[in-house]
Amino acid sequence: VSAAELVQAGWSDMTIDARDRLWDVILDTYYIVYFYERVADRMVDRWQFVDECSKGVIAVTASGSAVAGWTLWSQAGWAQIWGGVAGLAATLAILHPALTVPRRLTDWGDSKRTFTDLRVETETLIQKIRMNPEFPLDEYQKEFLDLRKKYKDCLSTIRNDFLLTKKLKVKCQNELDVILGWSPQPGGQ
């Protein structure tokens, strides 16, 4: 969504001048910060799912393998199922630390908190501008540039992650557009 579309959506009725240009870039920054906050939140969800599933399968097979194994190995068909589950658990036990799941959870959680703080700071600047359309340009430009530095610093902490897919980014963008009222809600509502 461009700044022009935000203005059309009722975010601003200011005339074009230096204040309008600042307003446009603040709104662009607000959108992208909010987007990355949503992405980080979804990534925490994805890594928690991986973490919980891995731990669950490992725990079930580790604690129950002797008793269940003795019982299931003797029944037709169950030996292959239990063997598959035990093999999956062994694979997960090896992959879990190799994937650095706890570290990824911490990193994405930290990113979400940082982007949330940055979004709220950006919203505060937006509200200050709305309360005073004749705002002090130099002061607010400096405040905006400080926000952009924080954004750059936060963005630089995001690591490559195979669970961060283009499909996830598109989903987050579509959800954000609905939250902000910039596109129709799913299901035509």
Side-chain angles (χ1 to χ4, degrees):
V1 174
S2 71
E5 290 170 312
L6 295 174
V7 171
Q8 289 176 345
W11 283 68
S12 171
D13 56 1
M14 295 188 263
T15 59
I16 301 297
D17 66 9
R19 284 178 172 77
D20 290 336
R21 288 190 296 279
L22 178 60
W23 180 250
D24 287 346
V25 295
I26 290 170
L27 291 176
D28 288 343
T29 299
Y30 174 71
Y31 185 90
I32 195 69
V33 165
Y34 204 166
F35 166 77
Y36 276 108
E37 176 189 353
R38 304 240 353 126
V39 167
D41 186 50
R42 294 296 181 159
M43 290 301 291
V44 168
D45 291 346
R46 284 184 172 195
W47 280 110
Q48 280 178 334
F49 179 78
V50 169
D51 188 46
E52 290 167 8
C53 287
S54 298
K55 288 178 180 177
V57 170
I58 292 166
V60 165
T61 58
S63 63
S65 87
V67 175
W70 291 327
T71 305
L72 295 177
W73 282 106
S74 62
Q75 296 179 12
W78 284 102
Q80 292 85 359
I81 292 172
W82 188 254
V85 171
L88 175 63
T91 303
L92 289 174
I94 293 167
L95 287 179
H96 193 270
L99 292 173
T100 63
V101 174
R103 180 174 167 214
R104 289 176 191 264
L105 274 168
T106 300
D107 289 350
W108 281 111
D110 290 346
S111 290
K112 182 189 183 318
R113 281 184 291 284
T114 304
F115 278 115
T116 299
D117 291 346
L118 189 53
R119 177 182 51 83
V120 171
E121 288 181 49
T122 307
E123 287 173 345
T124 301
L125 181 57
I126 289 169
Q127 295 307 320
K128 286 168 59 176
I129 290 172
R130 284 183 173 159
M131 290 187 303
N132 180 11
E134 298 301 318
F135 60 87
L137 185 60
D138 291 340
E139 177 186 331
Y140 285 17
Q141 282 176 330
K142 182 186 178 320
E143 192 171 336
F144 169 70
L145 292 174
D146 290 343
L147 289 172
R148 286 298 297 191
K149 181 177 181 332
K150 290 178 186 178
Y151 165 70
K152 180 185 78 74
D153 292 344
C154 187
L155 199 58
S156 70
T157 65
I158 293 178
R159 302 183 318 160
N160 288 332
D161 194 313
F162 70 92
L163 292 182
L164 180 56
T165 62
K166 182 176 180 175
K167 184 177 178 181
L168 175 71
K169 289 179 180 180
V170 168
K171 182 176 183 180
C172 288
Q173 183 174 8
N174 291 339
E175 290 172 353
L176 181 56
D177 289 348
V178 170
I179 289 169
L180 296 175
W182 299 341
S183 68
Q185 293 199 9
Q189 297 175 345

